[in-house]
Amino acid sequence: MSVTVEDIKSMMAVDGNDDDTLIEGYLTAATSFVKNAIGSDETFYSKADVATLFDVAVKVLAGSYYQYRIALSDTQTYAIDLTLNSIIGQLRGLYDSHLEEVENG
């Protein structure tokens, strides 16, 4: 994983170190979420055409976790994260191709 707490802080314009532990937890959760949504073969995530997409997906999700850490509403809402969903969709296709390559040698 090449996304760091500093990357998330820079993206979210967070100054200081007060929330570093919180952001680190969100970063870990976002990384797990994206990997669970795609697949567990670690060699896949180090591919050049995958690493950047993976990092962006993790940043987007960790940033959302940080920005919306307390969400209260008295009406029903429907969360739509178009950036994350589109990247995960593309990564799933790449992951399927990766598995085919591994199986076929």
Side-chain angles (χ1 to χ4, degrees):
M1 171 180 67
S2 60
V3 180
T4 66
V5 170
E6 292 303 316
D7 293 333
I8 303 301
K9 287 170 59 174
S10 176
M11 180 184 79
M12 302 297 296
V14 174
D15 295 326
N17 300 324
D18 293 344
D19 289 341
D20 283 7
T21 303
L22 181 65
I23 293 170
E24 187 174 345
Y26 291 146
L27 184 55
T28 300
T31 301
S32 294
F33 180 93
V34 174
K35 285 184 177 182
N36 288 338
I38 296 163
S40 60
D41 186 345
E42 289 295 324
T43 60
F44 172 73
Y45 299 101
S46 62
K47 290 181 156 190
D49 60 335
V50 171
T52 303
L53 286 171
F54 177 74
D55 287 351
V56 170
V58 169
K59 286 178 186 177
V60 166
L61 187 56
S64 293
Y65 286 161
Y66 180 77
Q67 183 71 30
Y68 304 108
R69 58 190 154 215
I70 299 174
L72 299 175
S73 175
D74 59 355
T75 61
Q76 185 173 7
T77 60
Y78 301 93
I80 299 174
D81 193 336
L82 299 176
T83 303
L84 181 63
N85 290 341
S86 66
I87 292 172
I88 285 179
Q90 186 175 11
L91 286 171
R92 283 180 177 162
L94 290 170
Y95 189 76
D96 287 343
S97 297
H98 168 76
L99 291 180
E100 285 180 18
E101 289 174 11
V102 170
E103 288 176 6
N104 296 329

